[in-house]
Each structure stands twice: as C-alpha cells, then as structure tokens.
Amino acid sequence: MRLRPARRLGVFTTSLLLTVGLLAPTAASAAPPSGSAASFGASSAAAADGPTARTASNSAIQVRDLSYACPKDRVPKAGFRDVPSSFNFAREIDCLVWYEITQGKTATEYAPNEFVTRQQMAVFIFRMLDDLIELPEPPSRSQFHDVPATGEVGIAINTLASDELAEMLGVRIVSGKTATTYAPADRVTRAQMGSFIARTLEGLVEILDRGRCDGIFTDEGDIPPSHIDNVKLLCAAGIVTGRADGSYGPSADVTRAQMSAFLMRLMDIIVELEGTVPPDERGEQ
C-alpha cells in the first residue's frame, strides 16, 4: 500500500509514495510483537482480533503490534482506574489518550466495557483525521434530522458525511441509517466498525492488496454485503483477525476497549508509512 499523494498528513506536507508489498506482515516475516500474545487475545469481550489468523492459502496474518504508533515503554499511562496494566487493551487505550483522540469518560475512568455509539465513533474518527489532514469546513446545516449542525458531535458527523470530504478522500466515511437520519445513539456493530475504519484507511492510503482474507471467517456469510469487503480489507491490513473460534461476529456490539484497538492499529499503518509520527517525536520536526 502507499500513502495518497499531495495531502498534508500529520506534521508533514508530503507527496510521499511508499509502497509496501503487503498490507500486513505474515507471522513468518513479522518482528515479534512488543507485547505478549495475551495483550491481543484473551478472555472476555476483548478476546477478538488477535494475535494471528489463517488465510485461505493457510498463510498467517499477524495483527499489528503497534510498534510504530505506540512504541513500547514510550506511551505514558493514562491513569484510568478501570484500566489496570493487566487489562487486555490497556496499551491501546493509553495510546488513544496519547494521541488526544479521547480523554476518557471522566478524568479517572475510561469505561472500557461500555459499547460504542455511532456518534462516539464519528467523534473518534474526526479527532484522528483532524490531526492528519486539513478537514473541510463543516456544512452550515445538518444533513440529518437527528443530528445538530453545531457542537463536536454535529460537526464530526456532518463533516465525515460531507460531499467535500468524500471528494477529498475519494470515499464517504459515514452515511446515515436513512437519507435524513443518522441514529447517533445506536450501537456500532463489528460489521459497521469494519466499514468505519476501512473507509478511513482507504481515504488515507492507496490499497494495493485486498484479497488475502477471502474465506478466512467461518461466519463470512453472515457479514452484510455492504460491509464484507471492508472487513476483509481490515483483516488483510492486520487490523482485525476475528475471534478465537474463527468467526468474525459481525452483529456483536463493539466496546470502547475494542474500538481503541481498531483505531490504534489504523494509526500504526499511518505512522509506518511516515504520514505522521508519535506524539513524543513531534517537537523534533
């Protein structure tokens, strides 16, 4: 894959075209994860998406280990009392705070097991993009009856759904449940999360390899047609690998802990392609 040309990404103004042979490393060629396997695949709801999965050709895809975006021992602890160091996605949550994509539900709590809503997902992606590219001005009127035009939620949703951003990125990151409603309080499923993240990835990166995960999930037939290609793209990119039983679980709701992993693995790709740098390096540019 390669970064799209002539777009300001992070601290750079760049026309960089960096080609990578595959979207994600295979287990045979990848460097060992900087965290233990248990940090990506463990018990409870966090058991999904790690550390490896098998493609139809029986080659392993390894989940991204965040060594680019979240170098081990450099990410400061966020200090949430409900995210101890032993928590499965503690590193991802700390890194999400490091990039200022979230500050938590409160100063001391992240609420990792709460489910992510459609409005929260839009805000998280908006904050990430706002640090990477020059976003267009939000529309003066809301496109959706159930979303305001102003405030962070309204600006995030309407900007991500705007024609201007879709033209800039070549893909529309969010759309409504209907032509006039967004359903901001609805929970985000794993199928929907696949599309949120994949569209963001496609907007920032030129994809050269998409087909590595055909047939990888035992419940592939249950993934809605509107999301299946996006889920496969994230699998090929090492952002998702599915659940321990080989399924993807498209209808399962996404927790705030799982969301942190989706977003930071996406950021790991951007940092690897030199589209931005970790926060502690930005003063050096």
Side-chain angles (χ1 to χ4, degrees):
M1 64 186 171
R2 64 182 73 183
L3 286 176
R4 293 191 184 278
R7 178 172 298 127
R8 185 184 70 84
L9 285 166
V11 297
F12 302 106
T13 300
T14 181
S15 57
L16 175 68
L17 292 178
L18 178 59
T19 301
V20 178
L22 297 173
L23 281 170
T26 63
S29 63
S34 54
S36 67
S39 66
F40 295 108
S43 59
S44 76
D49 303 316
T52 61
R54 291 281 169 180
T55 66
S57 62
N58 205 37
S59 62
I61 287 181
Q62 182 164 321
V63 74
R64 300 192 69 89
D65 68 3
L66 305 187
S67 58
Y68 292 98
C70 310
K72 191 177 181 182
D73 300 327
R74 284 170 51 190
V75 180
K77 300 295 183 183
F80 297 123
R81 62 188 181 191
D82 55 356
V83 184
S85 297
S86 59
F87 188 77
N88 291 313
F89 292 117
R91 182 182 175 203
E92 288 85 344
I93 292 168
D94 288 342
C95 200
L96 199 70
V97 174
W98 197 35
Y99 280 85
E100 299 183 350
I101 296 173
T102 185
Q103 292 81 43
K105 294 280 284 192
T106 70
T108 58
E109 294 184 345
Y110 178 75
N113 295 318
E114 285 190 11
F115 295 114
V116 177
T117 65
R118 285 170 55 82
Q119 72 176 26
Q120 290 170 339
M121 195 64 241
V123 169
F124 287 132
I125 291 177
F126 177 86
R127 290 173 180 169
M128 173 181 279
L129 285 177
D130 195 37
D131 190 49
L132 297 175
I133 65 174
E134 294 183 19
L135 292 169
E137 291 294 318
S140 58
R141 297 179 62 183
S142 179
Q143 302 172 64
F144 307 108
H145 295 328
D146 53 358
V147 175
T150 58
E152 186 177 31
V153 170
I155 290 172
I157 292 171
N158 283 292
T159 299
L160 296 185
S162 68
D163 292 340
E164 290 80 4
L165 187 63
E167 181 178 356
M168 178 189 300
L169 298 182
V171 62
R172 193 179 304 275
I173 294 177
V174 306
S175 56
K177 284 292 191 81
T178 71
T180 58
T181 60
Y182 181 76
D186 283 5
R187 293 177 179 177
V188 176
T189 66
R190 283 175 57 81
Q192 295 165 350
M193 175 68 77
S195 288
F196 274 114
I197 301 298
R199 290 168 187 158
T200 306
L201 174 63
E202 285 189 282
L204 297 174
V205 174
E206 291 184 2
I207 306 300
L208 300 184
D209 185 349
R210 300 184 63 105
R212 302 183 66 208
C213 289
D214 290 341
I216 197 169
F217 301 116
T218 58
D219 58 351
E220 179 176 312
D222 297 330
I223 303 175
S226 59
H227 300 298
I228 182 63
D229 286 345
N230 291 326
V231 170
K232 289 181 180 180
L233 173 60
L234 295 194
C235 172
I239 294 175
V240 301
T241 54
R243 303 193 291 191
D245 62 0
S247 67
Y248 180 73
S251 62
D253 295 324
V254 176
T255 67
R256 285 169 56 86
Q258 294 165 342
M259 175 277 303
S260 70
F262 279 90
L263 284 174
M264 297 324 300
R265 291 169 188 170
L266 170 60
M267 183 67 83
D268 198 58
I269 294 173
I270 302 303
V271 176
E272 179 185 6
L273 296 182
E274 300 183 6
T276 189
V277 295
D280 64 349
E281 295 181 21
R282 295 182 181 182
E284 301 172 7
Q285 304 301 317

